[in-house]
Amino acid sequence: MKFLHLLSAEASHGITLHCLNDPPHGSAGPGLQENGTLRFRGWNKQMFEKDTVLEPHVLQDECKIQDGSWHQSRFFFHTQDSRQLPIVDVQEFPTSQPNGQQHLEIGPVCFL
């Protein structure tokens, strides 16, 4: 990984949260839970979270829909400091509702 970081000027990474009857962000809006913020930890331990310089881009936020179908929330990370990616941990991940399900899909990291 260190070799990729040394040769790259920027990087991007996509993560998709799939959910069934389970809003991961609470009622406060995309990226937020009722008790705090959904946070992503990068390779160099920096945190990507809402209302910071390293805020993830929320491309899609359909997990608030509870209609018995699968939906998804998509997050995109892009940085000029390639050492910040890939995302290695999701913190304050919401607990699933009794009739809900959720799983993460970790996309490839692109080093440029």
Side-chain angles (χ1 to χ4, degrees):
M1 188 64 66
K2 188 172 184 175
F3 187 68
L4 284 171
H5 290 148
L6 288 173
L7 292 177
S8 303
E10 58 187 274
S12 60
H13 192 188
I15 294 180
T16 303
L17 175 61
H18 298 272
C19 45
L20 173 68
N21 287 335
D22 202 16
H25 310 306
S27 58
L32 292 179
Q33 294 177 282
E34 292 175 11
N35 63 348
T37 302
L38 186 60
R39 301 169 6 146
F40 302 88
R41 185 167 53 93
W43 181 263
N44 65 352
K45 300 188 182 351
Q46 287 186 299
M47 299 303 294
F48 289 80
E49 57 189 311
K50 187 164 180 62
D51 297 329
T52 67
V53 174
L54 298 175
E55 181 173 359
H57 301 284
V58 180
L59 302 177
Q60 183 177 11
D61 187 17
E62 295 180 348
C63 283
K64 56 189 165 196
I65 302 170
Q66 296 185 21
D67 61 359
S69 299
W70 282 94
H71 296 281
Q72 60 187 10
S73 291
R74 294 180 18 205
F75 301 92
F76 182 73
F77 305 85
H78 182 84
T79 178
Q80 298 289 330
D81 182 357
S82 63
R83 295 172 297 155
Q84 295 174 330
L85 294 178
I87 298 298
V88 296
D89 189 25
V90 179
Q91 297 182 350
E92 299 186 29
F93 196 74
T95 56
S96 184
Q97 301 295 326
N99 62 343
Q101 297 179 36
Q102 54 191 334
H103 70 272
L104 281 175
E105 178 183 339
I106 308 299
V109 181
C110 180
F111 291 97
L112 303 169

